[in-house]
């Protein structure tokens, strides 16, 4: 299994609020289907396959390694379909091969269990690294989701310091959140019975994603960021499109 959080469509997903933006609406279904396929291939299928193999009498290591092949096959399929080598896919294959080799050499299934924590930890570190780049990860994810508002987003980014602070803060939130998630996974991998970990691992993905999404949406609403991007969506106050504030906050 690999964390779906490594893809740029999970952190802030306010695209659903942009019902009046045709480009956003056109891209939203494909984003949603892509998210569903990722959840099925990278979380649901490996967990189901693990318990089916265990019920059929496979050992813990064999069941973990075979069930872990589903995300690898998904990554290979995506690379062939799009004719593009995805860095996350290459990383997934490399980590699966390394954990498989280590598990077989040591006969320790917990090494295979721990790889999900490593995936999540590296994803969290990468998000925090983007804070030192021109645009943080969560802002780039938003721009990918609402491509029809790219010009508006860039105007807000260059003119509104409060807008920039929100996306940097959300990137910190998701980066730290993923690191905490990774720590819990590693503790589970080395302290709980092996057969209970795959199910708990999948459940933790859902819990972490929902908690981080709720905090994200509250921050976007309380800071007025949703209104800046999508306009006032309250009944009777709906505007066609968000615009930068007349007096943008220029503080760094």
């Amino acid at each position: 299994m690999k964390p779906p959080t490594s893809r740029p469509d999970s952190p802030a997903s306010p695209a659903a609020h942009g019902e009046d933006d045709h480009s956003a609406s056109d891209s939203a279904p494909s984003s949603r289907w892509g998210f569903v396929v990722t959840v099925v291939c990278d979380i649901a299928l490996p967990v189901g396959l693990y318990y089916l193999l265990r019920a059929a009498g496979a050992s813990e290591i064999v069941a973990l390694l075979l069930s872990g092949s589903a995300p690898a096959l998904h990554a290979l399929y995506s690379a062939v379909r799009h004719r593009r080598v995805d860095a996350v896919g290459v990383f997934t294959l490399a980590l699966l091969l390394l954990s498989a080799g280590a598990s077989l050499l040591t006969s320790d299934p917990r090494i295979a269990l721990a790889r999900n924590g490593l995936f999540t930890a590296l994803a969290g570190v990468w998000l925090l690294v983007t804070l030192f780049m021109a645009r943080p990860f969560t802002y780039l994810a938003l721009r990918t989701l609402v491509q029809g508002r790219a010009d508006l987003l860039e105007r807000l980014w260059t003119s509104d310091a409060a807008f920039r602070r929100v996306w940097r803060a959300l990137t910190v939130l998701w980066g730290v959140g993923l690191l905490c998630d990774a720590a819990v996974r590693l503790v589970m991998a080395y302290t709980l019975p092996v057969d209970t970990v795959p199910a708990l691992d999948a459940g933790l993905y859902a819990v972490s994603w929902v908690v981080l999404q709720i905090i994200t949406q509250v921050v976007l609403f309380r800071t007025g960021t949703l209104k800046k991007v999508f306009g006032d969506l309250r009944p009777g106050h709906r505007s066609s499109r968000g615009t930068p504030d007349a007096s943008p906050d220029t503080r760094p």
Side-chain angles (χ1 to χ4, degrees):
M1 289 180 284
K2 64 178 180 176
T5 47
S6 59
R7 297 177 182 275
D9 54 356
S10 17
S13 58
H17 298 279
E19 297 172 358
D20 54 337
D21 186 282
H22 296 299
S23 297
S25 297
D26 291 342
S27 61
S30 60
S31 298
R32 283 195 290 268
W33 276 113
F35 180 72
V36 170
V37 170
T38 298
V39 170
V40 170
C41 292
D42 296 350
I43 299 178
L45 189 57
V47 173
L49 191 56
Y50 174 81
Y51 288 110
L52 282 176
L53 289 169
R54 288 291 289 152
S59 68
E60 292 169 340
I61 289 181
V62 170
L64 283 169
L65 296 183
L66 290 180
S67 62
S69 63
L73 292 176
H74 180 216
L76 281 175
Y77 170 75
S78 298
V80 172
R81 181 185 178 190
H82 300 293
R83 298 180 180 179
R84 178 167 55 91
V85 178
D86 183 270
V88 175
V90 172
F91 176 72
T92 301
L93 291 173
L95 196 53
L96 284 172
L97 290 174
L98 288 173
S99 64
S103 297
L104 291 173
L105 287 174
T106 62
S107 299
D108 186 359
R110 297 188 184 278
I111 294 178
L113 289 175
R115 69 180 173 226
N116 288 338
L118 184 56
F119 269 127
T120 309
L122 291 177
V125 170
W126 179 64
L127 258 69
L128 294 177
V129 168
T130 66
L131 290 168
F132 300 97
M133 299 178 179
R135 306 284 189 276
F137 174 82
T138 52
Y139 171 78
L140 295 176
L142 170 71
R143 207 172 60 179
T144 300
L145 286 170
V146 290
Q147 296 176 9
R149 294 175 185 245
D151 291 342
L152 169 65
L153 292 176
E154 280 303 293
R155 286 199 303 275
L156 285 167
W157 182 265
T158 56
S159 65
D160 191 335
F163 183 80
R164 295 194 294 272
R165 282 198 296 271
V166 166
W167 294 106
R168 288 195 173 105
L170 289 177
T171 300
V172 172
L173 168 70
W174 279 82
V176 173
L178 291 182
L179 289 176
C180 293
D181 176 286
V184 174
R185 289 183 196 284
L186 291 175
V187 170
M188 290 195 308
Y190 284 98
T191 58
L192 297 178
V194 171
D195 281 336
T196 65
V197 175
L200 293 177
D201 226 28
L204 184 57
Y205 278 131
V207 171
S208 298
W209 190 84
V210 169
V211 170
L212 290 172
Q213 271 291 354
I214 289 175
I215 297 174
T216 296
Q217 298 304 324
V218 169
V219 169
L220 292 174
F221 179 77
R222 294 288 296 271
T223 59
T225 305
L226 285 177
K227 185 178 179 181
K228 291 177 181 177
V229 177
F230 300 106
D232 195 340
L233 300 177
R234 292 176 300 172
H237 296 79
R238 187 185 180 86
S239 59
S240 59
R241 184 175 289 269
T243 56
D245 290 343
S247 302
D249 182 355
T250 57
R251 289 176 296 170

